Amino acid sequence: MMADETTLADLARAVGAARTIAVLTGSGLSAASGVPTFRDAQTGLWAHYRPEELANPEAFERDPTTVWQWYRARRQTLAEIVANDGHRALADLANELPDVRLITQNVDGLHQQAGHSNVIEFHGNIRVNQCHNEGREVEVDDAVDTPPACPHCGGLVRPGVVWFGEAIDPQAIERATQAAQACDVFLSVGTSAEVHPAAGLADLARRNGAHIAEINPDATPLSDRVTWIVRDSAARVLPELRRLSHNQHA
Ligand code: APR
């Protein structure tokens, strides 16, 4: 395996030369902004819950207030959190290169905050509210202790995120699949590559001839199928990758 700096220079050449790049990001990218990764241990009031126990429709239907208050706590944490250099570097790359398609598993909205447009939000967005009955987005005052009532049908309102066991927006799947099939380079950034269908996108790209890069301090189930492994923080690597690939164009 090449040392990271050689790997990064080689990856930058491929990024600079690529017609289409697909990027899949996970919670590791937001870690540098202070957002706990999905599999970090929960803290405080929520320490004795695992996310999987709360982020599902059955938990919400059984105990709407507890699930609602967990998301309110996460939204309050996010209120002070800002996008980091990794988010900004991806937004800059998308502006500088011919075709960069970003798929995120994150629900924190930090890519958009960094100026990235056209984000494919595979698991929804925690800042959005939706009616649990109808599935449609609703405008409600969400700084309350219990789930508000849907203004249309009176049903319970919940965050606009995709819960375990729920279907992902077919449009998001379609756009993400097209990105994986069309790309020459696939960047897997800050994700444990464990949760499908998102975790299958890299292999779909590889089957269509793309080369994969994994930017993650830790190994994942994808690690043995990638061309470039950069074992470092995404917030550090992505700005350097942008600088090096930028030089390809200069
Ligand atoms: N830079 C890059 N990667 C990092 C960093 C960092 N600074 N810090 C941690 N990581 C890596 C971890 O090593 C881990 O592989 O980010 C990954 C985070 O993995 P998870 O916590 O599993 O988060 P994620 O991959 O986004 O989870 C995918 O699973 O639970 C569902 O819906 C949830 O969207 C989430 C999905």
Side-chain angles (χ1 to χ4, degrees):
M1 186 187 338
M2 293 183 269
D4 277 357
E5 57 285 352
T6 317
T7 307
L8 203 49
D10 192 53
L11 172 57
R13 266 189 296 281
V15 163
R19 267 175 307 109
T20 296
I21 294 169
V23 187
L24 174 67
T25 60
S27 61
L29 173 61
S30 296
S33 296
V35 182
T37 68
F38 211 84
R39 283 164 185 76
D40 274 344
Q42 298 221 92
T43 56
L45 269 180
W46 308 101
H48 50 287
Y49 289 96
R50 285 184 305 108
E52 293 81 344
E53 291 170 327
L54 294 165
N56 69 69
E58 294 74 26
F60 181 68
E61 286 151 15
R62 188 174 54 248
D63 183 354
T65 298
T66 297
V67 174
W68 175 263
Q69 290 184 353
W70 180 52
Y71 279 92
R72 188 182 58 175
R74 289 176 64 192
R75 282 167 167 170
Q76 284 164 349
T77 307
L78 269 178
E80 288 95 57
I81 276 174
V82 292
N84 61 54
D85 293 342
H87 296 102
R88 279 187 287 277
L90 285 176
D92 292 337
L93 275 172
N95 290 329
E96 291 155 2
L97 296 175
D99 182 15
V100 175
R101 305 188 200 182
L102 173 66
I103 306 139
T104 188
Q105 300 170 94
N106 300 337
V107 297
D108 54 33
L110 292 180
H111 284 295
Q112 293 90 327
Q113 197 192 90
H116 211 126
S117 51
N118 238 344
V119 179
I120 302 169
E121 291 188 310
F122 220 57
H123 292 161
N125 188 317
I126 198 171
R127 302 171 198 265
V128 165
N129 287 299
Q130 77 182 43
C131 172
H132 187 54
N133 279 347
E134 303 163 299
R136 67 160 118 184
E137 195 173 321
V138 291
E139 291 302 321
V140 290
D141 167 16
D142 56 20
V144 291
D145 289 341
T146 58
C150 168
H152 308 285
C153 75
L156 289 178
V157 169
R158 35 74 61 95
V161 298
V162 178
W163 278 336
F164 286 96
E166 290 188 322
I168 288 168
D169 174 1
Q171 241 195 356
I173 292 184
E174 177 59 27
R175 288 176 64 203
T177 301
Q178 284 170 356
Q181 289 170 328
C183 71
D184 311 297
V185 174
F186 187 99
L187 304 180
S188 182
V189 181
T191 179
S192 58
E194 284 170 359
V195 176
H196 289 265
L201 292 168
D203 285 319
L204 176 60
R206 200 165 51 89
R207 286 197 297 277
N208 283 270
H211 288 275
I212 306 169
E214 179 171 79
I215 299 173
N216 188 330
D218 301 329
T220 74
L222 181 64
S223 300
D224 59 2
R225 302 194 295 281
V226 304
T227 304
W228 304 279
I229 289 185
V230 185
R231 286 277 172 261
D232 197 343
S233 166
R236 259 197 302 280
V237 168
L238 291 170
E240 182 61 3
L241 176 62
R242 179 202 167 215
R243 187 183 67 78
L244 291 170
S245 65
H246 205 54
N247 294 345
Q248 307 288 317
H249 283 280

